[in-house]
């Protein structure tokens, strides 16, 4: 069942699914299952989390929810283990490098709109301070990406803590 972190909804029957279904079925996006992200999450699940909350927030405000969902799903479309990444002299560190790689991979997969490119390239702001968000939807992905990362990092830790207390 397709779910986002903190959501109890089956997303396969949600209007959100129509916005990303074609992307979700591609081999490139499915390959993200192989990469661990934020302790116990896969990069695919993280991308679904970001995609869903981007969609929800942008739809609520009447902004471009479809592009927000699509960019959210593709924002971390890179194919290396970030913990094993070894920086070569003169190369950007991972947080500055991966948005460019993800944008190039996403644009090769499907043609991206200017908005989607901006969202993918600038989702790491303010860690990449020279890449200022140009659109309000880009600011949403910046905040949602951080929110989802925080949940993905803390929920497994809290679950483990509460299981220990229940056993005691």
């Amino acid at each position: 069942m397709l779910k986002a972190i903190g959501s109890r909804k089956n997303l396969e029957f949600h209007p959100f699914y129509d916005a990303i279904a074609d992307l979700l079925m591609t081999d490139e996006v499915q390959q993200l299952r192989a990469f661990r992200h934020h302790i116990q999450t896969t990069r695919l699940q993280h991308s679904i989390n970001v995609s869903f909350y981007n969609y929800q927030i942008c739809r609520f405000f009447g902004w471009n929810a479809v592009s927000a969902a699509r960019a959210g799903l593709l924002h971390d479309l890179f194919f290396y283990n970030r913990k094993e990444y070894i920086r070569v002299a003169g190369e950007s560190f991972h947080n500055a490098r991966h948005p460019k790689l993800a944008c190039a991979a996403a644009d090769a997969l499907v043609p991206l709109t200017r908005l989607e490119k901006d969202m993918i390239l600038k989702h790491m702001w303010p860690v990449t301070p020279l890449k200022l968000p140009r659109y309000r939807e880009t600011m949403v992905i910046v905040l949602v990406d951080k929110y989802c990362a925080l949940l993905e990092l803390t929920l497994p830790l809290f679950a483990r803590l509460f299981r220990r207390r229940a056993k005691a």
Side-chain angles (χ1 to χ4, degrees):
M1 186 180 334
L2 185 66
K3 283 189 172 184
I5 194 166
S7 173
R8 294 199 163 111
K9 296 178 182 175
N10 181 348
L11 301 181
E12 290 170 290
F13 303 109
H14 193 280
F16 155 78
Y17 185 75
D18 296 335
I20 63 156
D22 62 323
L23 298 174
L24 196 57
M25 298 305 155
T26 64
D27 291 337
E28 291 84 352
V29 171
Q30 288 299 315
Q31 286 176 31
L32 297 178
R33 287 181 193 272
F35 299 98
R36 219 107 346 257
H37 208 67
H38 303 145
I39 301 177
Q40 292 184 348
T41 309
T42 65
R43 196 171 305 146
L44 176 60
Q45 184 60 55
H46 168 73
S47 296
I48 291 168
N49 297 341
V50 172
S51 179
F52 177 68
Y53 291 112
N54 275 352
Y55 177 86
Q56 291 288 85
I57 292 169
C58 289
R59 190 181 69 152
F60 176 82
F61 286 111
W63 301 341
N64 193 335
V66 171
S67 284
R70 294 174 72 80
L73 188 64
L74 300 172
H75 82 284
D76 277 344
L77 191 67
F78 61 94
F79 304 101
Y80 63 88
N81 184 335
R82 62 186 175 80
K83 291 186 178 183
E84 295 172 1
Y85 168 64
I86 298 171
R87 186 174 165 194
V88 178
E91 191 174 54
S92 300
F93 66 105
H94 168 75
N95 288 338
R97 179 179 189 245
H98 87 268
K100 295 174 198 166
L101 293 174
C103 191
D107 205 26
L109 183 62
V110 292
L112 298 176
T113 66
R114 194 177 299 156
L115 170 60
E116 291 165 347
K117 285 180 184 177
D118 193 70
M119 292 176 76
I120 294 168
L121 286 171
K122 298 175 182 174
H123 78 270
M124 288 304 295
W125 186 84
V127 176
T128 53
L130 300 178
K131 304 284 188 200
L132 293 172
R134 183 173 181 179
Y135 303 98
R136 53 194 176 201
E137 291 91 347
T138 305
M139 204 59 223
V140 171
I141 198 172
V142 166
L143 297 172
V144 166
D145 186 42
K146 299 340 174 238
Y147 171 74
C148 289
L150 182 65
L151 286 179
E152 292 160 6
L153 287 167
T154 58
L155 288 180
L157 298 174
F158 284 124
R160 196 174 317 142
L161 177 69
F162 289 123
R163 268 183 283 183
R164 285 185 191 155
R165 283 192 176 174
K167 290 180 182 177

